[in-house]
Amino acid sequence: MTDLEIEYEMLQWELKKLAIKMENTPILAKGYKEMLRKEIDLTKMLQDLMNRMINE
């Protein structure tokens, strides 16, 4: 496995953990907005990583 593949797997795992946490959290709960921001950031990081993988 290359470093990019490992980073990809780690980001996928983080997104999966966050999705499970969000599933079990009411939308109006404190901190849900922060979880949404984190999800957006992780998704952007994943997109950037995928672009780097394509360019290699």
Side-chain angles (χ1 to χ4, degrees), residues 9-24:
E9 291 295 323
M10 289 172 55
L11 282 172
Q12 286 284 23
W13 179 244
E14 286 298 317
L15 277 168
K16 193 177 288 186
K17 285 192 318 188
L18 183 60
I20 291 169
K21 188 174 181 181
M22 289 174 75
E23 235 177 57
N24 296 319

Side-chain angles (χ1 to χ4, degrees), residues 1 6-7 9 17 22 26 29 31 47 52 55:
M1 255 187 161
I6 292 169
E7 189 176 347
E9 291 295 323
K17 285 192 318 188
M22 289 174 75
Q47 287 174 336
R52 286 189 316 200
N55 290 330

Side-chain angles (χ1 to χ4, degrees), residues 2 4 11-12 14-15 17 21-22 24-25 28 32 36-39 42-45 48:
T2 66
L4 291 177
L11 282 172
Q12 286 284 23
E14 286 298 317
L15 277 168
K17 285 192 318 188
K21 188 174 181 181
M22 289 174 75
N24 296 319
T25 304
L28 296 177
Y32 192 83
L36 284 173
R37 284 190 188 115
K38 185 174 181 179
E39 181 182 33
L42 286 170
T43 303
K44 286 179 182 176
M45 289 169 63
D48 291 341

